[in-house]
């Protein structure tokens, strides 16, 4: 099976969040399972330099740009996975964030950039770059590649298409005039195609035109067919729910493994958690907190946006008055949330440590050094940090939503008794509910035997990509069978 996996980011070439982790790991797991996979990405500044053996292998015309696209091929560092980088310097060779300009606004030409990239993906899938490789299936991800299934639907003879929703809240919405400016078919200006409340929606390209849809957890797959989580697209998703699957993300345990993680000052595993104490001490030092082995250290890592509920954490600071505890937060995003975090630190300088910015190594050291991980997301398609936390013996405290609901087992009496508890789950995304769960964690932390058991049960959970990759392969086979039936 020849699979072209199209995404707008992939770790370790470029990453802004979980999509980068997924696109860096899933194609590799699919390759290891025997598929003929190519990962295709835009050639951002510095990406080609990170590839192994990168070389230009083709030039081919792509509508929307006078000069041809240049195709660079190489292998993902540490793997055999072939990666194709589509090069168009004026679109992608920019320093910094792939979607957002230094002024904090989206790049003004995002529509042109990702429409052009989608057209390039179609040319590659259809073997019009002269490489002698034609895709049987194209797997597109999120709005940046939403036009791929739409454009492929115009081809008389085309591969099967799967579109995965990693986050429905990001839709790629542009002014109405963009349909014409991008030279897309006028008939797509319809609520049954790409029009969405008077705007052009890239994500609808995937949602309407892909042969099949998936999202990254079974619970989120159900949630997005309801008004509460559907972001206005619930009607469309409900209508297509017979072709909407939920497949949980996996963890790349080669990258996230406390027994070997090169970012950590000490290592540990399920048999011996001793190294975790050294990681905690080092983290307290790194974050400017007093080194106190017995004071519980809570942590949060994430994009500072409403979705992640860091404001709920800030509403719980009264807990600091009554309890000995520490908190560290790593994140960047909304300037208002950034300054609220700075203010919180100013209020409790010896108990709260924050790092505003993006720091891969620190994210690993926090997962290892913290005692428990806060993830009060209002919605969470899958979430990866709670999975990393489980493996790092850092029980997650999560809102029962999306992938969080599917991966964390609450430490209530029943689950403590049957030894299946792995964390703390609360039902409403409110400060009061978070506070109650946080208190429950504080209380259990004071019972070391029970706490240890929860840590170890979490570490035993297997969310490896092999399992999820198997589910994707079964789905791909089904899609190919569906297409050959038409
Ligand atoms: P999302 O994709 O919604 O941001 P996920 O939990 O799926 O959420 O994935 C987030 C990924 O991004 C994780 O690998 C996490 O460690 C990483 N991450 C988020 N913010 C930061 C940051 N400020 N520094 C380092 N890594 C971060
Ligand atoms: C999105 C979601 C997150 C998910 C990630 C990878 O960014 O917000 O929940 O884990 O994509 O699928």
């Amino acid at each position: 099976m020849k699979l072209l996996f199209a995404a707008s980011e992939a770790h370790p070439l470029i990453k802004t969040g979980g999509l980068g982790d997924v696109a860096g790991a899933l194609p590799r797991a699919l390759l290891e399972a025997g598929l003929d996979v190519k990962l295709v990405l835009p050639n951002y500044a510095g990406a080609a330099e990170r590839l192994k053996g990168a070389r230009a292998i083709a030039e081919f015309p792509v509508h929307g740009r006078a000069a041809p696209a240049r195709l660079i091929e190489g292998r993902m560092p540490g793997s055999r996975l072939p990666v194709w980088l589509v090069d168009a310097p004026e679109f992608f060779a920019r320093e910094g964030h792939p979607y957002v300009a230094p002024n904090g606004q989206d790049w003004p030409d995002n529509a042109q950039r990702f429409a052009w990239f989608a057209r390039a993906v179609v040319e590659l899938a259809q073997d019009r770059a002269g490489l002698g490789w034609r895709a049987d299936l194209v797997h597109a991800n999120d709005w940046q590649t939403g036009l791929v299934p739409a454009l492929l639907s115009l081809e008389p003879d085309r591969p099967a298409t799967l579109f995965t929703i990693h986050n429905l809240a990001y839709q790629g919405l542009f002014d109405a005039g963009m349909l014409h400016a991008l030279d897309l078919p006028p008939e797509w200006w319809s609520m049954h195609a790409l029009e969405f409340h008077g705007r052009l929606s890239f994500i609808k390209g995937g949602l309407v035109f892909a042969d099949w849809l998936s999202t990254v957890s079974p619970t989120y797959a159900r949630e997005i067919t309801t008004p509460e989580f559907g972001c206005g697209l619930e009607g469309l998703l409900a209508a297509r729910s017979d072709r909407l699957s939920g497949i949980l993300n996996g963890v790349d345990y080669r990258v996230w493994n406390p027994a070997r993680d090169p970012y950590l000052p000490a290592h540990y595993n399920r048999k011996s958690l001793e190294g975790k104490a050294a990681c905690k001490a080092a983290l307290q030092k790194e974050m400017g907190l007093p080194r106190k082995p017995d004071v519980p250290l809570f942590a949060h890592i994430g994009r500072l946006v409403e979705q992640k509920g860091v404001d709920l954490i800030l509403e719980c600071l009264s807990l600091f008055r009554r309890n000995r505890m520490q908190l560290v937060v790593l994140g960047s995003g909304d300037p208002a949330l950034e300054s609220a975090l700075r203010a919180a630190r100013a209020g409790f300088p010896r108990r709260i440590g924050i790092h505003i910015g993006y720091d891969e190594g620190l994210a690993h050291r926090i997962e290892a050094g913290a005692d428990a991980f806060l993830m009060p997301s209002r919605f969470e398609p899958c979430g990866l940090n709670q999975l990393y936390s489980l493996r790092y013996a850092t029980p997650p405290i999560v809102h029962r939503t999306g992938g969080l609901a599917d991966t964390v087992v609450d430490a209530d009496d029943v689950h403590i008794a049957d030894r299946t508890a792995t964390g703390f789950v609360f039902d409403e995304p409110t400060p009061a509910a978070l506070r109650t769960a946080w208190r429950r964690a504080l209380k259990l932390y004071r019972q070391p035997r029970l706490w240890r058991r929860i840590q170890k049960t979490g570490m035993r959970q297997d969310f490896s990509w092999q399992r999820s990759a198997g589910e994707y392969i079964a789905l791909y086979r089904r899609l190919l069978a569906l297409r050959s039936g038409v």
Side-chain angles (χ1 to χ4, degrees):
M1 188 190 308
K2 290 190 174 56
L3 168 73
L4 185 59
F5 192 99
S8 55
E9 55 181 273
H11 180 75
L13 303 180
I14 176 121
K15 164 174 162 184
T16 70
L19 173 62
D21 287 343
V22 173
L26 171 58
R28 182 173 171 182
L30 294 166
L31 178 84
E32 284 162 9
L35 269 59
D36 178 357
V37 192
K38 311 233 185 254
L39 168 64
V40 59
L41 299 163
N43 185 28
Y44 301 107
E49 289 70 32
R50 270 171 232 133
L51 273 191
K52 276 189 313 188
R55 62 194 177 97
I57 56 162
E59 285 199 358
F60 57 103
V62 178
H63 183 73
R65 179 175 183 258
R70 217 162 55 99
L71 189 68
I72 297 167
E73 185 180 67
R75 308 251 166 197
M76 206 59 149
S79 126
R80 288 182 297 117
L81 179 72
V83 181
W84 281 347
L85 298 178
V86 186
D87 190 54
E90 78 280 18
F91 284 149
F92 299 113
R94 304 174 182 173
E95 292 304 326
H97 199 283
Y99 322 128
V100 182
N103 68 4
Q105 306 288 315
D106 288 351
W107 290 109
D109 56 351
N110 272 353
Q112 289 86 345
R113 297 167 78 216
F114 290 105
W116 185 84
F117 177 61
R119 289 188 189 274
V121 171
V122 168
E123 296 307 294
L124 290 167
Q126 296 287 66
D127 194 23
R128 288 196 288 256
L131 298 166
W133 189 95
R134 188 165 182 195
D136 300 310
L137 204 141
V138 177
H139 185 164
N141 296 274
D142 274 357
W143 73 263
Q144 294 89 344
T145 51
L147 291 185
V148 172
L151 291 164
L152 278 171
S153 78
L154 303 171
E155 302 272 331
D157 183 15
R158 65 164 178 91
T161 52
L162 172 66
F163 181 73
T164 297
I165 304 159
H166 295 265
N167 194 332
L168 198 57
Y170 299 97
Q171 302 182 352
L173 295 178
F174 302 99
D175 288 344
M178 203 48 89
L179 185 87
H180 179 71
L182 296 173
D183 201 18
L184 297 172
E187 62 275 16
W188 283 359
W189 193 254
S190 147
M191 64 176 286
H192 302 295
L194 301 196
E195 188 269 343
F196 184 68
H197 299 290
R199 307 199 74 197
L200 173 67
S201 163
F202 274 33
I203 201 172
K204 282 188 77 183
L207 302 184
V208 172
F209 289 100
D211 294 327
W212 204 277
L213 307 175
S214 76
T215 186
V216 288
S217 69
T219 294
Y220 193 62
R222 285 190 300 277
E223 287 172 339
I224 55 178
T225 62
T226 69
E228 195 185 345
F229 295 96
C231 304
L233 292 160
E234 59 276 6
L236 168 58
L237 290 164
R240 297 208 70 192
S241 59
D242 58 334
R243 292 189 171 214
L244 168 62
S245 308
I247 301 179
L248 266 185
N249 285 334
V251 175
D252 190 340
Y253 289 123
R254 279 173 290 220
V255 177
W256 294 94
N257 173 6
R260 285 217 299 247
D261 188 331
Y263 290 115
L264 304 187
H267 295 102
Y268 56 95
N269 57 41
R270 200 155 28 102
K271 294 200 183 75
S272 160
L273 281 172
E274 258 162 58
K276 190 166 169 72
C279 292
K280 178 171 175 178
L283 179 64
Q284 287 169 322
K285 179 154 184 261
E286 181 171 2
M287 299 300 288
L289 299 173
R291 197 188 143 176
K292 297 208 167 137
D294 302 326
V295 171
L297 172 55
F298 295 85
H300 176 76
I301 302 169
R303 296 178 294 112
L304 299 177
V305 293
E306 216 216 341
Q307 173 192 349
K308 301 290 174 182
V310 74
D311 54 308
L312 301 175
I313 296 177
L314 291 169
E315 297 258 2
C316 290
L317 296 187
S318 59
L319 283 174
F320 280 86
R321 298 215 185 88
R322 291 238 181 107
N323 302 280
R324 293 175 73 225
M325 54 191 247
Q326 296 176 335
L327 170 68
V328 300
V329 179
L330 164 64
S332 67
D334 181 354
L337 289 170
E338 292 184 0
S339 43
L341 281 168
R342 288 199 182 92
R345 171 162 180 108
F348 297 94
R350 291 178 56 78
R351 305 220 267 150
I352 297 181
I354 61 169
H355 182 101
I356 303 291
Y358 190 92
D359 187 331
E360 192 75 28
L362 181 55
H364 287 245
R365 290 190 292 281
I366 291 178
E367 286 289 2
D371 290 303
F373 193 88
L374 298 160
M375 207 154 163
S377 312
R378 292 189 164 82
F379 67 95
E380 195 60 81
C382 177
L384 293 169
N385 277 118
Q386 84 280 15
L387 303 179
Y388 304 152
S389 302
L390 291 171
R391 184 51 61 106
Y392 280 64
T394 309
I397 301 173
V398 305
H399 172 214
R400 195 186 308 279
T401 188
L404 301 174
D406 293 337
T407 54
V408 182
V409 179
D410 184 50
D412 58 17
D413 293 343
V414 174
H415 296 124
I416 287 182
D418 69 13
R419 297 171 178 256
T420 55
T422 58
F424 302 85
V425 189
F426 56 94
D427 287 309
E428 294 299 324
T430 60
L434 169 60
R435 210 175 293 125
T436 307
W438 198 332
R439 273 201 206 102
R440 285 201 287 135
L442 278 164
K443 195 169 155 211
L444 261 181
Y445 182 79
R446 287 182 220 117
Q447 303 176 57
R449 212 174 41 84
L450 277 184
W451 188 262
R452 189 86 354 150
R453 194 199 289 165
I454 292 172
Q455 286 178 301
K456 291 198 172 173
T457 308
M459 291 183 94
R460 254 201 317 274
Q461 304 306 307
D462 178 13
F463 291 102
S464 60
W465 270 112
Q466 281 77 342
R467 208 196 36 167
S468 308
E471 287 186 53
Y472 277 106
I473 292 169
L475 181 55
Y476 296 155
R477 294 228 164 89
R478 198 161 157 201
L479 294 194
L480 293 183
L482 267 178
R483 267 206 75 67
S484 59
V486 291

